[in-house]
Amino acid sequence: MLQRLAIFISCMLHVFGNRQNLCSSDTVTAWYSYDGDIMDLSISMSPCDTGRAEYTFTLSAILLRTFRTLGDSLTVWFKNQKWFELSHTVKPCDNLKFCHLVKGESIHDTITLYTKPYKLPAGNYLLIARLFDARDIVRLNVTVDVKN
């Protein structure tokens, strides 16, 4: 499940682009930026809260190249310390819809993530995700501000 989340997030965000709103509520504000071989990326998340067992992500993007293999990494920082890290080596990605899209084609997808409910401590989180083959396909930053 974590691999699916890492792949999903990696497909979404741009490190050096303009910040875009992922979601906003009384308890959580999240935004993202992305960079790589993807354009016109749009992502939303619901519900915009922590401590839930189910989250729905909706994305659309245009791929700037075709790829058939895929690796991913996800690092989460909290209070300037590495809190979590996950990485998967490059493998054929036959079971993912976007792996065989032709350069210039768009993807529109909704992904539901099921997880154990865990209420995150208040503070700022930085998620850095990469989706790659022989080179980066996309790099992303997600900044999450959790309030009490």
Side-chain angles (χ1 to χ4, degrees):
M1 187 53 72
L2 289 176
Q3 180 181 13
R4 188 172 176 187
L5 174 62
I7 290 170
F8 173 75
I9 292 175
S10 296
C11 289
M12 305 187 243
L13 306 174
H14 212 228
V15 172
F16 302 106
N18 293 327
R19 289 189 335 170
Q20 299 180 45
N21 185 46
L22 179 62
C23 72
S24 185
S25 71
D26 291 341
T27 58
V28 175
T29 302
W31 55 92
Y32 65 93
S33 60
Y34 65 96
D35 184 21
D37 293 336
I38 192 168
M39 65 184 244
D40 295 334
L41 179 64
S42 174
I43 308 164
S44 63
M45 180 181 111
S46 177
C48 192
D49 197 4
T50 66
R52 303 293 181 106
E54 180 179 325
Y55 294 92
T56 302
F57 296 88
T58 303
L59 75 94
S60 65
I62 298 172
L63 300 178
L64 297 179
R65 66 183 174 99
T66 302
F67 55 95
R68 308 238 186 274
T69 59
L70 189 63
D72 61 83
S73 68
L74 174 66
T75 306
V76 179
W77 295 83
F78 178 62
K79 294 186 177 180
N80 296 322
Q81 293 183 342
K82 191 182 294 185
W83 200 44
F84 175 82
E85 188 168 36
L86 173 70
S87 183
H88 296 97
T89 59
V90 175
K91 298 181 209 173
C93 60
D94 296 329
N95 58 340
L96 300 171
K97 327 179 169 177
F98 55 85
C99 281
H100 297 288
L101 292 175
V102 176
K103 174 182 173 180
E105 282 189 291
S106 61
I107 182 169
H108 305 281
D109 204 1
T110 299
I111 297 171
T112 302
L113 173 68
Y114 300 95
T115 184
K116 284 185 172 183
Y118 178 74
K119 202 77 160 156
L120 292 174
N124 291 312
Y125 296 80
L126 174 61
L127 290 77
I128 301 170
R130 288 178 53 233
L131 184 66
F132 53 89
D133 52 12
R135 65 178 203 249
D136 277 356
I137 295 167
V138 68
R139 278 187 52 116
L140 58 103
N141 280 350
V142 180
T143 304
V144 180
D145 181 22
V146 177
K147 304 162 194 103
N148 286 329

